[in-house]
Amino acid sequence: MAVREVSMAREAAEKPLSRLIYERRATPHFEAKPVPEQDLKKVLEAGRQSPSGYNLQPWRFIVVRDPEMRQRLQQAAMGQPKVGEAPVVVVACGDTEGWKKGDLEEMLRLGNEHGFPESGNEGARQAVTTLLSGKGGTAAGINGDINIWVNRHVTIAFATMMWMAEALGYDTAPMEGFWEDKVKDVLGIPASVRVVAMLAIGHLKGPDKPYGGRFPLSRLAFADKWGEPIQL
């Protein structure tokens, strides 16, 4: 079978998102079965292709596969067994200073390469600097706190990777329970980089979690303003 045919067959086998939304559960325990590199690359590519403000892509992904490193990371993650069990743990981070250290100029270069006019570079440069240097005030929506901005965008990429892994037939466990300073120490993460979340990827071991239920839309969604019931 030709390479293109193999690729198309694999894509056709991927689970649809509309199904995954209802079936996915946070995996409590994992088998030791490895995740092939081609699948892992596809998961990471999904994160890489995620949207971000000004296309600045502040995310950084540390892929932890070494068993000894995962055991050390488990201790920094409050002892959660899934960190040591899962064959892959992606630590999603956000670089709060990347825009000052080359990301902004590389974003502008890529934009020009893909059709954005160079005449807009200076305006974009000024807008980003105003927003992320804390000079944008409350109008920027982050109150001068770049940690908020970084967290928002890394979370988008993190969720995109989770759904891609699930679509490929893997089980996942997103985690926010960890000591950031200890994770940084284990993985050698710089002080200017925030650890946002961790994603365990692999295959379920044992029984899955039961469905916990969700609030009805009438409790969560409003029409035009807060508290107004929406009719759908």
Side-chain angles (χ1 to χ4, degrees):
M1 184 180 291
V3 173
R4 178 174 173 79
E5 292 176 331
V6 171
S7 176
M8 291 178 65
R10 182 56 186 269
E11 290 181 4
E14 291 178 12
K15 297 178 182 179
L17 180 60
S18 57
R19 172 183 166 189
L20 295 174
I21 288 172
Y22 290 94
E23 292 184 352
R24 198 208 70 82
R25 303 287 180 270
T27 303
H29 294 284
F30 288 88
E31 294 182 350
K33 184 179 178 182
V35 175
E37 288 194 355
Q38 63 268 26
D39 288 344
L40 178 56
K41 183 178 181 180
K42 196 163 188 176
V43 170
L44 294 171
E45 279 289 334
R48 188 175 74 92
Q49 294 296 333
S50 299
S52 61
Y54 293 97
N55 196 31
L56 282 170
Q57 308 161 57
W59 42 70
R60 303 292 186 267
F61 311 126
I62 303 176
V63 182
V64 186
R65 290 180 287 181
D66 179 77
E68 182 179 341
M69 286 297 291
R70 284 191 284 107
Q71 290 297 325
R72 292 180 61 195
L73 186 61
Q74 179 179 340
Q75 298 309 308
M78 302 180 179
Q80 297 181 76
K82 64 188 79 175
V83 177
E85 295 171 352
V88 174
V89 178
V90 178
V91 181
C93 304
D95 191 344
T96 64
E97 296 186 355
W99 67 279
K100 294 188 289 187
K101 298 179 178 178
D103 286 2
L104 173 56
E105 295 306 315
E106 179 63 7
M107 177 274 290
L108 294 173
R109 186 195 69 78
L110 284 172
N112 298 154
E113 184 180 288
H114 286 81
F116 284 87
E118 291 187 23
S119 59
N121 284 7
E122 187 55 33
R125 192 178 286 115
Q126 291 180 7
V128 168
T129 301
T130 298
L131 172 67
L132 300 185
S133 65
K135 298 177 182 178
T138 57
I142 61 174
N143 296 319
D145 187 349
I146 193 173
N147 294 292
I148 296 174
W149 184 86
V150 162
N151 190 281
R152 288 174 178 172
H153 296 295
V154 174
T155 299
I156 293 173
F158 179 85
T160 303
M161 290 191 293
M162 182 189 74
W163 290 120
M164 177 55 75
E166 292 278 342
L168 292 173
Y170 296 98
D171 299 294
T172 61
M175 289 171 280
E176 59 177 352
F178 52 82
W179 289 289
E180 184 178 20
D181 58 340
K182 293 183 179 181
V183 173
K184 285 186 172 185
D185 183 59
V186 169
L187 302 180
I189 300 171
S192 61
V193 174
R194 299 303 306 269
V195 182
V196 176
M198 298 194 300
L199 181 68
I201 304 172
H203 293 280
L204 171 68
K205 179 181 180 180
D208 207 346
K209 283 185 176 180
Y211 178 56
R214 295 294 187 272
F215 296 141
L217 279 178
S218 59
R219 185 185 181 100
L220 305 173
F222 308 126
D224 298 318
K225 66 178 184 178
W226 185 273
E228 289 294 323
I230 188 168
Q231 302 296 327
L232 295 173

